[in-house]
Amino acid sequence: MEKFVKELDETIGKLLEYDKIVSKIPKDYGCGIPLSMSEIHTIEAIGNYPGANVTDLAEVRGVTKGALSKMLSRLEKAGFIRRYQYKDNKKEHYFQLTALGRKAYEGHYLFHESRSNVTHAKYKEYSEEERKLILGFLHMYVEYLKDYME
């Protein structure tokens, strides 16, 4: 195997392991209730994609509809989100943030702002072409990992 590929696989492996560790540490994003990374990112998806249904949100989050449905039920029970339907479509359920959910959503961005200033400043050093290359690679790698899910 090529040296570059080995180093790339090792580095991405470390990235995924660190992500796994960090994702298990609940944090209070200013709403008084500690949330897991999965919970806050589901709240983030609902805040970023108003009017999304379960299928849309599962795609955005990269999780199964079943796993997402369980998460949505927990968040609804805890008061972070509200489920609704349109009068002309009783089949689909849609979600929106409650005041508590909005507080967590905004606190999540403040958390990243306070923790990620240095990294985000470095992003500005990349040219538009470099940014496209990085994002293109990451999108390709996500698709590559999806092949392992079958």
Side-chain angles (χ1 to χ4, degrees):
M1 185 182 286
E2 185 183 335
K3 183 179 187 266
F4 171 77
V5 174
K6 284 181 181 178
E7 187 176 344
L8 182 66
D9 281 348
E10 247 180 53
T11 304
I12 289 175
K14 285 179 189 176
L15 173 77
L16 296 174
E17 286 302 315
Y18 282 123
D19 184 65
K20 222 185 290 182
I21 293 165
V22 169
S23 70
K24 292 180 181 174
I25 304 168
K27 290 182 181 41
D28 179 353
Y29 294 95
C31 61
I33 301 169
L35 296 162
S36 69
M37 188 180 289
S38 187
E39 289 168 328
I40 195 62
H41 287 154
T42 301
I43 289 169
E44 178 184 39
I46 293 167
N48 288 345
Y49 299 92
N53 62 22
V54 175
T55 303
D56 299 331
L57 292 170
E59 177 65 28
V60 166
R61 292 279 296 115
V63 298
T64 65
K65 289 194 290 186
L68 184 73
S69 291
K70 288 178 185 177
M71 174 68 64
L72 293 168
S73 292
R74 282 198 310 272
L75 291 172
E76 184 177 26
K77 187 176 180 181
F80 288 98
I81 64 171
R82 178 177 89 70
R83 181 183 310 253
Y84 66 95
Q85 293 177 300
Y86 290 110
K87 290 179 184 176
D88 60 338
N89 183 354
K90 294 294 183 186
K91 183 181 174 193
E92 294 287 342
H93 290 261
Y94 302 89
F95 304 88
Q96 66 182 168
L97 298 177
T98 62
L100 181 64
R102 178 64 52 193
K103 191 170 189 176
Y105 174 87
E106 291 168 2
H108 177 235
Y109 282 101
L110 290 173
F111 171 80
H112 280 299
E113 210 172 87
S114 69
R115 290 280 177 101
S116 306
N117 284 344
V118 173
T119 302
H120 289 180
K122 288 183 182 208
Y123 294 161
K124 292 177 183 173
E125 296 174 11
Y126 293 114
S127 69
E128 191 61 32
E129 187 176 303
E130 290 170 318
R131 290 176 182 201
K132 285 180 182 176
L133 178 68
I134 292 166
L135 286 174
F137 171 78
L138 291 172
H139 289 299
M140 180 273 305
Y141 205 86
V142 166
E143 292 305 313
Y144 164 74
L145 288 177
K146 284 181 182 178
D147 287 344
Y148 283 84
M149 294 171 61
E150 296 174 351

